[in-house]
Amino acid sequence: AQKITQTQPGMFVQEKEAVTLDCTYDTSDQSYGLFWYKQPSSGEMIFLIYQGSYDEQNATEGRYSLNFQKARKSANLVISASQLGDSAMYFCAMSPIYNQGGKLIFGQGTELSVKP
Amino acid sequence: DADVTQTPRNRITKTGKRIMLECSQTKGHDRMYWYRQDPGLGLRLIYYSFDVKDINKGEISDGYSVSRQAQAKFSLSLESAIPNQTALYFCATSDIARDEQFFGPGTRLTVL
């Protein structure tokens, strides 16, 4: 069975510093996708970044990058130059089927607080 | 206008009542999903539909049913609501060619 583990229930970071949110996954599939979503206090789920299991380069989207280490089964999110608006819950998720719109399996989330 | 909408946004009901949560999307996606979020448990999949004629149970489908009325509409029903169904419910959509899912704003349901 597929599983996502986020071991940091809460994290603090100083404004303008970088922060890494950890995510490890477990799957026997060869093809899969990894995602990060942001959930601010207002409740909506905002898609941030995607990494396919066969992508050789780490994904980047603006200030977000995904540190993908396939052998270690980790997909950590790096946020550079943190902003106050980055304070939110962050969820790592996995889709067991690559590029076929599979079901998402979510981790329990990490609550990030950015300090001024 | 939002691409994925959910109605109602908030609902308080009593045990035993029938409740329907509705989801509509203008993204043109074939695939739609219903998730439930409880504090500390992340999101869990209730039902999903890969097209109008294809509906599948997710991880926690007991006590729920769904209807895919059209490509753009996917409804979740609680036939007889119970207090442990109090949660935040999300609808999501995805395109057949890509994996990322796009979420609606959520419906906060409270069952007394």
Side-chain angles (χ1 to χ4, degrees):
Chain A
Q2 291 83 17
K3 185 179 179 181
I4 294 283
T5 302
Q6 294 180 253
T7 57
Q8 306 154 313
M11 290 277 289
F12 289 91
V13 65
Q14 205 68 35
E15 191 179 10
K16 300 182 183 178
E17 293 185 350
V19 62
T20 297
L21 306 184
D22 294 341
C23 173
T24 58
Y25 60 92
D26 188 18
T27 181
S28 57
D29 292 333
Q30 294 301 309
S31 300
Y32 49 88
L34 295 155
F35 307 78
W36 278 91
Y37 284 83
K38 173 183 178 181
Q39 186 178 38
S41 58
S42 53
E44 71 267 33
M45 295 287 289
I46 302 167
F47 167 71
L48 295 178
I49 195 166
Y50 165 80
Q51 177 87 40
S53 60
Y54 285 111
D55 294 339
E56 293 186 353
Q57 296 209 337
N58 287 343
T60 60
E61 290 286 350
R63 293 186 301 109
Y64 305 107
S65 60
L66 199 153
N67 184 1
F68 180 46
Q69 298 187 42
K70 193 171 183 177
R72 298 180 60 187
K73 293 189 175 179
S74 73
N76 298 340
L77 177 71
V78 180
I79 305 175
S80 62
S82 298
Q83 303 173 356
L84 295 178
D86 293 334
S87 293
M89 283 289 289
Y90 288 81
F91 291 96
C92 180
M94 178 173 66
S95 171
I97 302 173
Y98 182 59
N99 275 347
Q100 292 185 37
K103 303 162 288 179
L104 282 176
I105 298 164
F106 284 83
Q108 294 182 313
T110 295
E111 184 171 10
L112 178 66
S113 297
V114 180
K115 294 183 173 182
Chain B
D1 288 342
D3 294 320
V4 184
T5 57
Q6 293 182 233
T7 55
R9 294 293 311 279
N10 289 281
R11 182 72 183 268
I12 300 173
T13 191
K14 294 182 179 180
T15 297
K17 293 291 187 181
R18 184 178 187 274
I19 296 296
M20 178 180 286
L21 309 183
E22 298 185 336
C23 176
S24 295
Q25 53 113 347
T26 58
K27 297 185 79 66
H29 291 166
D30 285 320
R31 303 184 170 197
M32 298 186 74
Y33 311 80
W34 276 104
Y35 291 91
R36 165 180 172 160
Q37 184 179 28
D38 296 280
L41 293 180
L43 279 75
R44 293 180 292 168
L45 183 65
I46 306 173
Y47 270 95
Y48 63 102
S49 171
F50 281 0
D51 66 42
V52 174
K53 296 180 181 179
D54 177 72
I55 292 178
N56 304 279
K57 292 183 178 180
E59 180 187 359
I60 53 163
S61 59
D62 288 348
Y64 301 95
S65 63
V66 292
S67 173
R68 185 81 184 267
Q69 299 94 327
Q71 187 208 35
K73 297 184 181 295
F74 193 36
S75 300
L76 176 72
S77 293
L78 289 67
E79 296 301 326
S80 180
I82 56 177
N84 75 1
Q85 291 177 314
T86 293
L88 183 58
Y89 290 84
F90 285 103
C91 174
T93 74
S94 70
D95 182 78
I96 191 169
R98 297 180 63 84
D99 284 335
E100 60 261 39
Q101 294 183 15
F102 297 90
F103 285 78
T107 294
R108 193 168 296 279
L109 177 66
T110 302
V111 183
L112 301 176

